[in-house]
Amino acid sequence: MRTAETAVEAKGLVVAAARMKALVYHGPGQKAWEEKPKPKIENPGDAIVRITTSTICGTDLHILKGDVPSVVPGRILGHEGVGIVEEVGAAVSGFRRGDKALISCITSCGRCDFCRRAMYSHCRTGGWILGNTIDGTQAEYVRIPHADTSLYALPPDADEKAMVMLSDILPTALECGVLNGQVKPGDTVAIVGSGPIGLAALMTAQFYSPSEIVMIDLDDNRLEVARSLGATKLINSSDGKAAQKVMELTGGAGVDVAIEAVGVPATFDVCQSIVAPGGHVANVGVHGKPVELRLERLWSHNVTITTRLVDTAATPMLLKLVQAGRLHPERLATHRFPLGEVMKAYDTFGSAARERALKVILENR
Amino acid sequence: MRTAETAVEAKGLVVAAARMKALVYHGPGQKAWEEKPKPKIENPGDAIVRITTSTICGTDLHILKGDVPSVVPGRILGHEGVGIVEEVGAAVSGFRRGDKALISCITSCGRCDFCRRAMYSHCRTGGWILGNTIDGTQAEYVRIPHADTSLYALPPDADEKAMVMLSDILPTALECGVLNGQVKPGDTVAIVGSGPIGLAALMTAQFYSPSEIVMIDLDDNRLEVARSLGATKLINSSDGKAAQKVMELTGGAGVDVAIEAVGVPATFDVCQSIVAPGGHVANVGVHGKPVELRLERLWSHNVTITTRLVDTAATPMLLKLVQAGRLHPERLATHRFPLGEVMKAYDTFGSAARERALKVILENR
Amino acid sequence: MRTAETAVEAKGLVVAAARMKALVYHGPGQKAWEEKPKPKIENPGDAIVRITTSTICGTDLHILKGDVPSVVPGRILGHEGVGIVEEVGAAVSGFRRGDKALISCITSCGRCDFCRRAMYSHCRTGGWILGNTIDGTQAEYVRIPHADTSLYALPPDADEKAMVMLSDILPTALECGVLNGQVKPGDTVAIVGSGPIGLAALMTAQFYSPSEIVMIDLDDNRLEVARSLGATKLINSSDGKAAQKVMELTGGAGVDVAIEAVGVPATFDVCQSIVAPGGHVANVGVHGKPVELRLERLWSHNVTITTRLVDTAATPMLLKLVQAGRLHPERLATHRFPLGEVMKAYDTFGSAARERALKVILENR
Amino acid sequence: MRTAETAVEAKGLVVAAARMKALVYHGPGQKAWEEKPKPKIENPGDAIVRITTSTICGTDLHILKGDVPSVVPGRILGHEGVGIVEEVGAAVSGFRRGDKALISCITSCGRCDFCRRAMYSHCRTGGWILGNTIDGTQAEYVRIPHADTSLYALPPDADEKAMVMLSDILPTALECGVLNGQVKPGDTVAIVGSGPIGLAALMTAQFYSPSEIVMIDLDDNRLEVARSLGATKLINSSDGKAAQKVMELTGGAGVDVAIEAVGVPATFDVCQSIVAPGGHVANVGVHGKPVELRLERLWSHNVTITTRLVDTAATPMLLKLVQAGRLHPERLATHRFPLGEVMKAYDTFGSAARERALKVILENR
């Protein structure tokens, strides 16, 4: 269970440390596909994973704008991936070299108070650290701390472009949107934002058989994708009348669940305007500024508003559903690139509307 | 089951309609204790109740300021009371003349979609209507629509000053604060506002055995009352540092449940500042303007914010606990007046801090 | 809103009371389609409904065997139906003459302690009374007590053969089987019994997206129907090895939810043998004798066993799903008869295996 | 961080392995306080704990009768204890030498599928293994596998005789009895069995403020203890009429929650006889044979029956409540012995009724 270079060292030869290629952040607006040292086991719970499939997240674009101060120059980006375990630390019992594994975007120790409450997002020594405070998955290799509780075993023949959606986007949409929103059979659900995360909410909301799913976006192409994935009503919100249209569609009743999948004040406002008494506003979007909460109206409306960083506690459920053929997250993958062309992949993903891009798959075969 | 006057009418005699005394709203800042016609059965589900105990709510003061536009001049105020059933309509099966009854501040039909979901606050033909859109309980008699599902039977020897707290304040604090806040054993709870509603939250939070209850108010007298009712920590917030002090008390962790029992932006802000990841902000206060919700910080904090108009669905639970001697809501009653001195009672209640008043009991014996 | 005969009586004429045809129980093994007086409003909450569609339940066969002592000779059978409201009592506010309505098999007052907890099955003046302690729905007309809370409004063009399944079989399967069993996405579910109620559990379990639904029965035809309705695995249990086969299918893990849809000790035993640690056994079957509960094995297995008489609290949810085209209960209807041929319909339903009968529709057009 | 003997071994000296005293099972009816090798770290997640306080469980008596076949001769008994960490393996991050720790009776890896669902009782490499399949805590030292997730940190000044009750008896009563029974404010609760576990259920049921707690036992002394701990009604069941008396006490309604805290068919039968419609039977007792479940009566009663091996998931909650002074489990400790007199302690505990013994504390200072 030793890597090549340490075997070499053991022989006492003077060799350069092993190298790999990775996508490195160099400050706002700057990134490069360049050589970096291959990661090594640092703690007994670590695993080194050779990435076979990765992808780009909207959060990566935020980082590149300089919006995420915890990411410092020199950091390898990426928090989504599927790969093959290359090496494990002494305390890892659930994985060994050669295993195929899904990398969770959330690292969890499984021991701290938050982990014992299944709030892995707030793990005392984990949470969202990959591609943030430690090097990430848009690379040939990645080090995964707390591997036993941060990786998920996959069968050798797993469809990687489906599985990589389970690193982040599917559990995020499910946990923050659908589970927090408490979608139940017969409900009317509105999803504000039909980007990848909104579409993932659309897919996972259907686990609970709502009667209606109203999809709201500025982009007709994305709305058409939503229709093909199960939306029952589409609203193009470019005229600023989305809330009014939802109230009309529901005969003035409003919706049981409003899922915010954008992250700006205007979309939150649509949600609070359309939620019915007794209903839920489930925030999924990453917000950069405060919103106005209209308590002078809502104080008596028996509504519940939730926020959440994904815990990936629902990943085992998602794995079962993909394996049973009941969930097809690969439908969110619109483009494929070799990992070595990740710079081009960023260009495509960064012009999502023009390119009609949803998720962009990076393959390292 | 006919009242005196209708019996008389039936005999064909010309008599004046029966009269009673009541506290009548005459527009902002104006009220009078005056004669009004005694109410009559209007629908088969109605009951007429002779009030034996009533009280004044903070909401009544809001109405008198002109803040509640649904209340029009001429309206009899009051939505809390205990009394004796005087007469019932033909469809009432659960009560008859002579029964002692608790009047719920929420009228519910028991039939509509909201009532079938136990959201009585939003009943299609009920909700909070007493002393609002129909005449209320600060009177010798009151008409209660949907009596079977809006009154609760009391034993003849019930302690009325305890029971009248179950009309509104106790279920409001319990449902909107404690149940929505999901207080559980071992929790750290903060209650912002130590007025009658905050103190009722303090009493009912203890049903679930939290480890700590931090009480926050501007008034030291009210904080001392809180201590006697079970608060474990007291914070006088007049220096504007309540949030900071709570964070210090909790070693930086914040609280599991923050109950907002005032209704202004500043107190909501304390709540959102002190809630721990995974925690709950339960709004009880009646708000007159929007608040700023700091989603740029909270989006990733796994918090739940709830609003609610009391449903009084928990009233049977409260009745059982009072009758078992495990809840003593009469401890909130600081002053007593004969019903005929309701004007004086309003003066006392309106100067609550100076008078050290919490709830003011109106007796009609 | 008076019926013809009372109008006539009011005129003081001597006329025979209005008559109708009905299926009457005359003691074990005996029934007849005969004339009976048409029902009248007896209480202000009653409605008289003209039956347009009815059906026969397995429970009706039990009654005819003499197994249900609360049913006395002379009783009109039937507790399922769709019809047109003919007349309503003075206290009925939600329905009027001419409305199409679904008749719930459970009558509920909406006022008693059980109804306020949504346990309509145990309503103090209702519950399962139709075709049991009062006359039922296999007749031209039926009296429905507590009409406002025991009927559900249907649109005029509702598909009656779909809707009549919502009187009993669909809510029973959903509430007692699926909801009590807490089926959740990704679960492995076993349903023991592939008769109408087991198939209804199969249909409604899919509201929650289990990964696997294993259907167990003695009859290959019914298993094939199950396959067409979504079962993923079929087990013919005639060799007595059903439990062993389920354990093999699940790699020794057992199932998350075992739904008992027969009502005999052997099928309960299959359920307790296959439930995984942490799992649920949801009893739906009507049992005539005790079962052996193997606590010496199960005490440490963290299992939950539930029983329930249907409350029909989930009927509004089911109505929404039928109306949204997401549930097709008419697929359970295999045979149709005019109501006048109800005796023949009983013959068919009583020989269900030979006739390949599931639910038998009775039409009165 | 090495123990004396390994240090010595490392020096290459021939020395006897370190020894300790322990209570060893030698087959049915046979046990001895004798020398055994002191345990050593075997896996990187292990800790060695020097026991300072231990106790005896009813299960230990079962083992000594030969009723627990997984316990083989030579095994050190005991699964409850408080101690000082002596040594930790390389992968242990939460504890170090000198820390005071509570030993959970349930060992959990924190990584397997059951642990990720907080079902630690069914941990793939843990569960109840101490004093069962590996050596236990009635010894001077014990090896604790998966130490990070199987020990709980205690402050140095913790009251050990209170804390040792949190190894097993308190979480068992709380989780299997009170939480599974879903005790809620205002409930009527019956606890069948007033031994240590029944009394622990009585103490923890009060976290949720039931109105009535009816305690049932054959022993008047234990019932008096129950009264002092908060029981509101006492029933001596030696006349075989416990169920009948409970029904009389509840006006025929039965109880909301029946907790079985004995483990024989007769006490289970009392529970199923007294549970109200909508109620819960929570099994805590360890059963040696099947029971008769009266489904012919209960199928329509909307009852829930639960079983559970304690998960100790509620231990953090219990720790908070002891530390807040809201729970006093030391009140269950009736006798104290030095650890070296464990044989005498077994005699006392084995004659619990005569000795008026509840929990017997073993001290090693």
Side-chain angles (χ1 to χ4, degrees):
Chain A
M1 199 87 62
R2 339 177 72 190
T3 59
E5 75 273 29
T6 58
V8 165
E9 282 165 6
K11 288 182 195 159
L13 301 179
V14 176
V15 291
R19 309 287 288 176
M20 67 168 185
K21 296 297 282 293
L23 195 276
V24 182
Y25 172 70
H26 289 295
Q30 297 179 52
K31 62 182 185 297
W33 176 247
E34 64 188 30
E35 273 217 343
K36 291 280 277 185
K38 191 179 154 188
K40 297 182 191 175
I41 297 290
E42 298 179 12
N43 294 299
D46 288 352
I48 304 299
V49 178
R50 181 169 62 82
I51 295 294
T52 51
T53 298
S54 188
T55 180
I56 308 173
C57 181
T59 305
D60 296 322
L61 302 185
H62 280 292
I63 293 170
L64 281 166
K65 285 187 199 144
D67 288 351
V68 186
S70 52
V71 183
V72 295
R75 175 71 61 237
I76 299 174
L77 297 183
H79 51 266
E80 301 165 282
V82 169
I84 304 290
V85 174
E86 178 89 359
E87 185 185 359
V88 297
V92 175
S93 60
F95 293 89
R96 54 185 180 179
R97 183 182 169 88
D99 286 349
K100 180 169 280 196
L102 169 67
I103 299 168
S104 174
C105 67
I106 295 296
T107 301
S108 69
C109 74
R111 310 169 179 187
C112 70
D113 55 340
F114 282 119
C115 282
R116 295 293 263 193
R117 293 162 61 193
M119 257 179 76
Y120 309 132
S121 57
H122 287 70
C123 173
R124 300 282 177 185
T125 57
W128 173 43
I129 56 175
L130 286 177
N132 177 6
T133 59
I134 68 171
D135 284 336
T137 59
Q138 292 166 6
E140 291 176 325
Y141 295 89
V142 65
R143 180 179 68 91
I144 303 296
H146 304 309
D148 274 332
T149 40
S150 306
L151 295 176
Y152 291 89
L154 294 181
D157 62 348
D159 175 359
E160 298 196 5
K161 69 184 178 309
M163 288 304 180
V164 77
M165 303 298 167
L166 272 54
S167 284
D168 178 347
I169 187 170
L170 263 287
T172 294
L174 173 59
E175 295 180 2
C176 307
V178 177
L179 295 179
N180 269 11
Q182 297 183 30
V183 176
K184 54 183 189 314
D187 272 1
T188 298
V189 177
I191 300 173
V192 184
S194 190
I197 197 76
L199 293 168
L202 169 63
M203 293 174 86
T204 53
Q206 292 171 73
F207 295 168
Y208 297 95
S209 305
S211 286
E212 297 279 355
I213 309 180
V214 184
M215 210 75 194
I216 301 167
D217 203 277
L218 297 163
D219 181 326
D220 281 331
N221 171 53
R222 289 187 158 190
L223 290 173
E224 282 310 314
V225 175
R227 187 197 303 280
S228 76
L229 293 174
T232 60
K233 297 279 191 311
L234 308 177
I235 295 179
N236 187 311
S237 52
S238 37
D239 60 2
K241 296 187 178 168
Q244 181 185 323
K245 285 175 182 172
V246 172
M247 295 313 286
E248 285 166 13
L249 277 176
T250 57
V255 302
D256 299 299
V257 185
I259 296 178
E260 203 287 336
V262 178
V264 299
T267 48
F268 181 83
D269 196 58
V270 169
C271 290
Q272 71 175 324
S273 301
I274 63 177
V275 63
H280 297 259
V281 173
N283 188 77
V284 186
V286 178
H287 289 260
K289 32 188 168 172
V291 301
E292 185 181 79
L293 176 63
R294 289 195 267 114
L295 271 189
E296 84 284 5
R297 193 177 72 90
L298 292 176
W299 73 268
S300 63
H301 270 41
N302 301 36
V303 300
T304 303
I305 300 165
T306 52
T307 73
R308 186 170 180 179
L309 180 59
V310 64
D311 293 300
T312 64
T315 304
M317 175 204 286
L318 289 164
L319 282 167
K320 281 194 249 178
L321 288 164
V322 173
Q323 285 162 5
R326 295 186 172 247
L327 175 66
H328 295 281
E330 71 279 5
R331 298 182 64 182
L332 296 174
T334 52
H335 295 71
R336 290 191 195 198
F337 295 87
L339 180 57
E341 294 179 19
V342 59
M343 300 288 283
K344 202 193 286 182
Y346 264 90
D347 290 344
T348 298
F349 187 66
S351 309
R354 195 187 60 218
E355 301 283 350
R356 303 203 162 192
L358 295 170
K359 290 293 278 186
V360 169
I361 299 292
L362 302 168
E363 295 178 334
N364 185 37
R365 298 278 157 72
Chain B
M1 201 81 69
R2 339 176 75 190
T3 59
E5 72 273 32
T6 57
V8 165
E9 281 165 6
K11 287 181 195 159
L13 302 178
V14 176
V15 290
R19 309 287 289 176
M20 67 167 184
K21 296 297 283 290
L23 195 276
V24 182
Y25 172 70
H26 289 295
Q30 298 177 51
K31 63 180 183 300
W33 175 247
E34 64 189 28
E35 273 216 342
K36 290 280 276 185
K38 193 179 151 188
K40 296 181 190 174
I41 297 291
E42 297 178 12
N43 294 301
D46 289 352
I48 304 300
V49 178
R50 181 169 62 83
I51 294 294
T52 51
T53 298
S54 188
T55 181
I56 307 173
C57 181
T59 306
D60 296 322
L61 302 184
H62 280 291
I63 292 170
L64 281 165
K65 285 187 199 144
D67 288 351
V68 186
S70 52
V71 183
V72 294
R75 176 70 60 239
I76 300 174
L77 297 183
H79 50 267
E80 301 165 282
V82 169
I84 305 290
V85 173
E86 178 89 359
E87 185 185 359
V88 297
V92 175
S93 61
F95 292 90
R96 54 185 180 179
R97 183 180 168 88
D99 286 349
K100 180 170 281 194
L102 168 68
I103 299 167
S104 174
C105 68
I106 295 296
T107 302
S108 68
C109 73
R111 308 170 181 187
C112 71
D113 55 339
F114 282 119
C115 282
R116 295 293 263 193
R117 293 163 61 192
M119 256 180 77
Y120 308 132
S121 56
H122 288 70
C123 172
R124 300 282 177 186
T125 58
W128 172 43
I129 56 174
L130 287 177
N132 177 6
T133 58
I134 67 170
D135 285 336
T137 60
Q138 291 166 7
E140 290 176 325
Y141 296 88
V142 64
R143 180 178 68 91
I144 303 296
H146 303 310
D148 273 333
T149 40
S150 306
L151 295 176
Y152 291 90
L154 294 180
D157 62 348
D159 176 359
E160 297 194 6
K161 69 182 179 308
M163 288 304 179
V164 76
M165 303 299 168
L166 272 55
S167 284
D168 178 346
I169 187 170
L170 262 287
T172 294
L174 172 59
E175 295 178 3
C176 308
V178 177
L179 294 179
N180 269 12
Q182 297 184 30
V183 176
K184 56 184 188 311
D187 271 1
T188 298
V189 176
I191 299 173
V192 184
S194 190
I197 197 75
L199 292 168
L202 168 62
M203 293 174 87
T204 53
Q206 294 171 71
F207 295 168
Y208 296 95
S209 305
S211 285
E212 296 280 355
I213 309 181
V214 184
M215 210 75 194
I216 301 167
D217 203 277
L218 298 163
D219 181 327
D220 281 332
N221 171 53
R222 290 187 158 189
L223 289 172
E224 282 310 314
V225 175
R227 187 196 303 281
S228 75
L229 294 175
T232 61
K233 297 280 191 313
L234 307 177
I235 294 179
N236 186 309
S237 52
S238 35
D239 61 1
K241 297 187 178 168
Q244 181 184 323
K245 286 175 180 171
V246 171
M247 296 312 285
E248 285 165 14
L249 277 177
T250 56
V255 300
D256 299 298
V257 184
I259 297 178
E260 203 287 336
V262 178
V264 300
T267 48
F268 181 83
D269 196 58
V270 169
C271 290
Q272 72 175 324
S273 300
I274 64 177
V275 64
H280 297 260
V281 173
N283 188 77
V284 186
V286 177
H287 288 258
K289 32 188 169 173
V291 301
E292 185 181 81
L293 176 63
R294 289 195 266 114
L295 271 189
E296 85 285 6
R297 194 177 72 90
L298 293 176
W299 73 268
S300 63
H301 270 41
N302 301 37
V303 299
T304 303
I305 300 165
T306 52
T307 73
R308 187 170 179 180
L309 180 59
V310 63
D311 293 300
T312 66
T315 304
M317 176 203 284
L318 290 164
L319 282 168
K320 282 194 249 178
L321 289 164
V322 173
Q323 285 163 5
R326 294 184 172 248
L327 176 65
H328 295 282
E330 70 279 5
R331 297 182 66 182
L332 296 174
T334 52
H335 295 71
R336 290 192 195 196
F337 295 88
L339 181 57
E341 295 179 19
V342 60
M343 299 288 283
K344 203 194 287 184
Y346 263 90
D347 289 344
T348 298
F349 187 66
S351 308
R354 196 186 62 218
E355 301 283 349
R356 303 202 161 190
L358 295 170
K359 290 293 277 188
V360 169
I361 300 292
L362 302 169
E363 295 177 334
N364 186 36
R365 299 277 156 74
Chain C
M1 201 81 68
R2 337 178 72 191
T3 58
E5 73 273 31
T6 59
V8 165
E9 281 165 7
K11 288 182 195 160
L13 301 178
V14 177
V15 291
R19 310 287 287 176
M20 68 169 184
K21 296 297 283 294
L23 195 275
V24 182
Y25 172 68
H26 289 295
Q30 297 178 51
K31 63 181 184 298
W33 176 248
E34 64 190 29
E35 275 217 341
K36 291 279 277 183
K38 193 179 152 188
K40 298 180 190 177
I41 297 291
E42 296 179 12
N43 295 299
D46 289 351
I48 304 299
V49 177
R50 180 168 63 82
I51 294 293
T52 51
T53 298
S54 187
T55 180
I56 308 174
C57 180
T59 305
D60 296 322
L61 301 184
H62 280 293
I63 293 170
L64 281 166
K65 285 186 198 145
D67 287 351
V68 186
S70 52
V71 184
V72 295
R75 175 69 61 238
I76 299 174
L77 297 183
H79 50 267
E80 301 165 281
V82 169
I84 305 291
V85 174
E86 178 88 1
E87 185 185 359
V88 297
V92 174
S93 59
F95 293 91
R96 54 185 181 179
R97 184 181 169 88
D99 286 350
K100 180 169 282 197
L102 168 67
I103 299 168
S104 174
C105 67
I106 295 296
T107 302
S108 68
C109 74
R111 308 170 180 187
C112 70
D113 53 341
F114 282 119
C115 282
R116 295 293 262 193
R117 292 162 60 193
M119 257 180 76
Y120 309 133
S121 57
H122 287 70
C123 172
R124 301 282 178 185
T125 57
W128 174 43
I129 55 175
L130 286 177
N132 177 6
T133 58
I134 68 169
D135 285 336
T137 59
Q138 292 165 6
E140 291 176 324
Y141 295 89
V142 64
R143 179 178 68 90
I144 303 296
H146 303 309
D148 272 333
T149 40
S150 307
L151 296 176
Y152 291 90
L154 295 180
D157 63 347
D159 176 359
E160 297 196 5
K161 69 182 181 309
M163 289 302 181
V164 76
M165 303 298 167
L166 272 54
S167 284
D168 178 347
I169 186 169
L170 262 287
T172 294
L174 172 59
E175 295 179 2
C176 308
V178 176
L179 294 179
N180 269 10
Q182 296 182 32
V183 176
K184 56 185 187 311
D187 272 1
T188 299
V189 177
I191 299 174
V192 184
S194 189
I197 196 77
L199 293 168
L202 168 62
M203 293 173 86
T204 54
Q206 293 170 71
F207 295 167
Y208 296 95
S209 305
S211 286
E212 296 280 355
I213 309 180
V214 184
M215 209 76 192
I216 301 167
D217 202 277
L218 297 162
D219 181 326
D220 281 332
N221 171 53
R222 290 187 158 189
L223 290 173
E224 283 309 316
V225 175
R227 187 196 304 279
S228 75
L229 293 175
T232 60
K233 296 280 192 313
L234 308 177
I235 294 178
N236 186 311
S237 53
S238 37
D239 60 2
K241 297 187 177 168
Q244 183 185 320
K245 286 175 181 170
V246 171
M247 295 312 287
E248 286 165 14
L249 278 177
T250 57
V255 300
D256 298 299
V257 184
I259 296 178
E260 204 287 337
V262 178
V264 299
T267 47
F268 181 84
D269 196 59
V270 169
C271 290
Q272 71 175 323
S273 300
I274 62 178
V275 64
H280 296 260
V281 173
N283 188 77
V284 186
V286 178
H287 288 260
K289 31 188 171 173
V291 302
E292 186 181 80
L293 176 63
R294 288 195 268 113
L295 271 189
E296 84 284 5
R297 193 177 74 89
L298 293 176
W299 73 268
S300 63
H301 271 41
N302 301 36
V303 299
T304 302
I305 300 165
T306 52
T307 73
R308 187 170 180 181
L309 180 60
V310 64
D311 292 301
T312 64
T315 304
M317 176 204 285
L318 289 165
L319 282 168
K320 280 193 249 178
L321 288 164
V322 173
Q323 285 163 6
R326 296 188 171 244
L327 175 66
H328 295 281
E330 70 280 5
R331 297 182 65 181
L332 296 173
T334 52
H335 295 71
R336 289 191 195 198
F337 295 88
L339 180 57
E341 293 179 21
V342 60
M343 298 289 282
K344 204 194 283 183
Y346 263 91
D347 290 344
T348 297
F349 187 65
S351 308
R354 196 186 60 218
E355 301 283 349
R356 302 202 163 192
L358 295 170
K359 290 293 277 186
V360 170
I361 299 291
L362 301 169
E363 295 178 334
N364 186 37
R365 299 279 157 72
Chain D
M1 200 82 68
R2 338 178 70 189
T3 59
E5 73 273 32
T6 57
V8 165
E9 281 164 7
K11 289 180 193 160
L13 301 179
V14 176
V15 290
R19 310 288 287 176
M20 69 168 181
K21 297 296 282 292
L23 195 276
V24 182
Y25 172 68
H26 288 296
Q30 297 178 51
K31 62 181 184 298
W33 175 247
E34 65 189 28
E35 274 216 342
K36 290 280 276 184
K38 193 180 152 187
K40 297 180 190 176
I41 296 291
E42 296 179 12
N43 294 300
D46 289 351
I48 304 299
V49 177
R50 180 169 63 82
I51 295 293
T52 51
T53 298
S54 187
T55 181
I56 308 173
C57 180
T59 305
D60 296 322
L61 302 185
H62 280 292
I63 292 170
L64 281 166
K65 286 186 197 144
D67 288 351
V68 186
S70 52
V71 183
V72 296
R75 175 69 61 237
I76 299 173
L77 297 183
H79 51 266
E80 300 165 281
V82 169
I84 304 291
V85 173
E86 179 88 359
E87 186 185 359
V88 297
V92 175
S93 60
F95 294 89
R96 55 185 180 180
R97 183 180 169 89
D99 286 349
K100 181 169 282 196
L102 168 68
I103 299 168
S104 174
C105 68
I106 295 295
T107 301
S108 68
C109 74
R111 308 170 180 187
C112 70
D113 53 342
F114 282 119
C115 283
R116 295 292 263 193
R117 293 163 60 193
M119 255 180 77
Y120 309 132
S121 57
H122 288 70
C123 173
R124 300 281 177 187
T125 57
W128 173 43
I129 56 174
L130 286 177
N132 177 7
T133 58
I134 68 171
D135 285 336
T137 59
Q138 292 165 6
E140 291 176 324
Y141 295 90
V142 65
R143 180 179 69 90
I144 303 296
H146 303 309
D148 273 333
T149 40
S150 307
L151 295 175
Y152 291 90
L154 295 181
D157 63 348
D159 176 0
E160 297 195 6
K161 68 182 179 309
M163 288 303 180
V164 76
M165 303 299 167
L166 272 54
S167 284
D168 178 347
I169 187 169
L170 263 287
T172 294
L174 172 59
E175 294 178 3
C176 308
V178 176
L179 294 179
N180 269 11
Q182 297 183 28
V183 176
K184 57 184 185 312
D187 271 1
T188 298
V189 176
I191 300 174
V192 184
S194 189
I197 196 78
L199 292 169
L202 169 62
M203 293 174 87
T204 53
Q206 293 170 72
F207 296 167
Y208 297 94
S209 305
S211 286
E212 296 279 357
I213 308 181
V214 184
M215 209 75 194
I216 301 168
D217 203 278
L218 297 163
D219 182 327
D220 281 332
N221 172 53
R222 290 188 158 189
L223 290 173
E224 282 310 314
V225 175
R227 186 195 305 280
S228 76
L229 293 174
T232 60
K233 296 279 192 313
L234 308 177
I235 294 179
N236 186 309
S237 54
S238 37
D239 60 1
K241 296 188 178 167
Q244 182 185 321
K245 286 175 181 171
V246 171
M247 295 312 286
E248 285 165 14
L249 278 176
T250 56
V255 300
D256 298 299
V257 184
I259 296 178
E260 204 287 336
V262 178
V264 299
T267 47
F268 180 83
D269 196 58
V270 169
C271 290
Q272 71 176 323
S273 300
I274 63 178
V275 64
H280 296 260
V281 173
N283 188 78
V284 186
V286 178
H287 289 258
K289 31 187 170 175
V291 301
E292 185 181 80
L293 176 63
R294 289 195 267 113
L295 271 190
E296 84 284 5
R297 192 176 74 89
L298 293 176
W299 73 267
S300 64
H301 270 41
N302 300 36
V303 299
T304 302
I305 300 165
T306 52
T307 73
R308 187 170 180 179
L309 181 59
V310 63
D311 293 299
T312 65
T315 303
M317 175 203 286
L318 289 164
L319 282 167
K320 280 194 249 176
L321 288 165
V322 172
Q323 285 162 6
R326 296 185 172 247
L327 175 66
H328 295 280
E330 70 280 5
R331 297 182 65 182
L332 295 174
T334 53
H335 295 72
R336 289 192 195 197
F337 296 88
L339 180 58
E341 293 178 22
V342 60
M343 298 290 282
K344 204 194 285 183
Y346 263 90
D347 290 343
T348 297
F349 187 65
S351 308
R354 195 185 62 218
E355 302 283 349
R356 302 202 162 191
L358 294 170
K359 290 293 277 187
V360 170
I361 299 291
L362 302 169
E363 294 178 334
N364 186 37
R365 299 278 156 72

